[in-house]
């Protein structure tokens, strides 16, 4: 039995592989990657490396074996049809007779367009008949803390989220939950709504960045169309900007403020507060 992780050198995948290495022998882990150079560090530690691409179905032949547990980390190539990409892995897992397919999805409460591909992928997983675990990951602290440079430069956090709050956690937190599911027992046919233990609003976020950086930082809540213009103005493709603004509109409605406790129960520890992520980013 092997644990197969797609997107293994991505931002989330790296944390998952590291977590697995603490729990199971390296030769029981298969890291699915596109670029072997990025996985050289894992290969040196004994992790099996499989080169495969969501866009080339035949590359997944032989990657998954009967009885394997598979983590399908959702793709980020929005323009290439993510549902079709995910179906490639799902088909390979079903053909092989995988014991479990876990998928990093989106919160059930999220109605923004970002969730559409996730809902469609979930439907395909349920239709496949494979034992599954839907890991509905909430928002990441890093979605904000990795972009502190313009905040510090302009002295402002700009969002179209109004007074909405977010129950976010770190990639490491969500990865630890995936590791718990992949290495534990009794997770077949489960759905976990994963989120931070606590919530924050952007006014609080701006105040915390100000406190830790020693700079004056304000929260500017702007209308959706203004935020779209800001994002496209710095070179973001309009289609992707529209998706992000849609998430902000969902935040304003409270759709990402749901706290279930599933994440901390799976990991056995509290989730990482936003203040801690800000501190790590500022040390950067």
């Amino acid at each position: 039995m092997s644990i197969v992780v797609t997107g293994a050198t991505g931002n989330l995948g790296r944390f998952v592989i590291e977590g697995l290495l603490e729990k199971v022998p390296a030769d029981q882990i298969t890291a699915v990657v596109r670029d072997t150079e990025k996985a050289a560090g894992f290969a040196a530690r004994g992790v099996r490396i499989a080169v495969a691409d969501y866009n080339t179905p035949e590359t997944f032949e032989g990657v998954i074996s009967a009885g394997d547990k598979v983590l399908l980390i959702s793709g980020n190539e929005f323009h290439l049809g993510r549902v079709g990409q995910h179906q490639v892995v799902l088909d390979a897992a079903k053909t092989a007779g995988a014991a479990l397919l876990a998928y990093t999805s989106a919160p059930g409460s999220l109605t923004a367009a970002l969730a559409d591909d996730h809902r469609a992928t979930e439907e395909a997983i349920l239709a496949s008949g494979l034992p599954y675990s839907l890991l509905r990951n909430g928002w990441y602290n890093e979605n904000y803390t990795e972009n502190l440079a313009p905040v510090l430069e302009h002295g402002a956090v700009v969002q179209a989220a109004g007074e909405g709050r977010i129950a976010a956690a770190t990639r490491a937190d969500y990865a630890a939950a995936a590791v718990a599911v992949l290495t534990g027992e009794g997770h077949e046919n489960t759905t976990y709504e994963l989120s931070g233990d606590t919530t924050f609003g952007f006014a609080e976020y701006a105040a915390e960045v100000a406190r830790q950086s020693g700079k004056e930082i304000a929260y500017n809540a702007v209308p959706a169309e203004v935020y779209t213009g800001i994002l496209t103005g710095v070179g973001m493709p309009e289609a992707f900007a529209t998706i992000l603004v849609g998430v902000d509109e969902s935040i304003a409605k409270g759709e990402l403020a749901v706290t279930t406790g599933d994440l901390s129960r799976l990991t056995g520890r509290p989730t990482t507060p936003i203040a801690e992520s800000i501190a790590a980013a500022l040390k950067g």
Side-chain angles (χ1 to χ4, degrees), residues 117-199:
D117 288 350
H118 293 296
R119 296 289 92 85
T121 300
E122 287 186 3
E123 289 174 10
I125 291 169
L126 295 178
S128 75
L130 272 172
Y132 66 86
S133 184
L134 303 180
L135 308 177
R136 290 178 169 171
N137 287 358
W139 221 222
Y140 299 147
N141 287 354
E142 290 93 339
N143 288 342
Y144 305 109
T145 59
E146 285 183 349
N147 198 35
L148 278 179
V151 170
L152 296 172
E153 180 184 349
H154 300 292
V157 172
V158 181
Q159 302 285 156
E163 300 304 310
R165 302 184 70 79
I166 313 167
T170 61
R171 290 194 186 103
D173 291 334
Y174 292 111
V179 169
V181 166
L182 294 166
T183 60
E185 299 296 331
H187 297 290
E188 293 79 9
N189 304 327
T190 53
T191 299
Y192 296 108
E193 295 287 349
L194 304 175
S195 64
D197 293 333
T198 58
T199 66

Side-chain angles (χ1 to χ4, degrees), residues 66-158:
D68 285 354
K69 293 181 178 179
V70 181
L71 176 64
L72 169 54
I73 294 180
S74 56
N76 58 9
E77 295 174 320
F78 295 86
H79 60 295
L80 292 180
R82 294 196 298 169
V83 181
Q85 291 180 326
H86 299 158
Q87 187 71 51
V88 168
V89 182
L90 180 56
D91 289 344
K94 185 173 182 180
T95 299
L100 180 73
L101 186 131
Y103 171 64
T104 60
S105 192
S109 56
L110 185 66
T111 63
L114 178 71
D116 293 348
D117 288 350
H118 293 296
R119 296 289 92 85
T121 300
E122 287 186 3
E123 289 174 10
I125 291 169
L126 295 178
S128 75
L130 272 172
Y132 66 86
S133 184
L134 303 180
L135 308 177
R136 290 178 169 171
N137 287 358
W139 221 222
Y140 299 147
N141 287 354
E142 290 93 339
N143 288 342
Y144 305 109
T145 59
E146 285 183 349
N147 198 35
L148 278 179
V151 170
L152 296 172
E153 180 184 349
H154 300 292
V157 172
V158 181

Side-chain angles (χ1 to χ4, degrees), residues 179-236:
V179 169
V181 166
L182 294 166
T183 60
E185 299 296 331
H187 297 290
E188 293 79 9
N189 304 327
T190 53
T191 299
Y192 296 108
E193 295 287 349
L194 304 175
S195 64
D197 293 333
T198 58
T199 66
F200 65 87
F202 284 108
E204 291 168 46
Y205 174 72
E208 184 62 26
V209 174
R211 186 185 72 80
Q212 293 197 31
S213 68
K215 298 176 181 286
E216 287 191 18
I217 309 289
Y219 169 42
N220 293 339
V222 298
E225 59 273 16
V226 172
Y227 192 39
T228 303
I230 291 170
L231 295 176
T232 55
V234 296
M236 184 178 289

Side-chain angles (χ1 to χ4, degrees), residues 9-53:
T9 55
N11 289 328
L12 182 65
R14 285 191 171 279
F15 282 113
V16 173
I17 299 293
E18 290 291 349
L20 288 172
L21 283 166
E22 294 177 7
K23 295 283 187 74
V24 299
D27 61 4
Q28 292 181 17
I29 304 167
T30 297
V32 181
V33 302
R34 293 179 180 177
D35 184 346
T36 53
E37 286 187 18
K38 290 183 179 178
F42 292 145
R45 293 160 72 183
V47 174
R48 177 190 172 213
I49 307 300
V51 180
D53 190 323

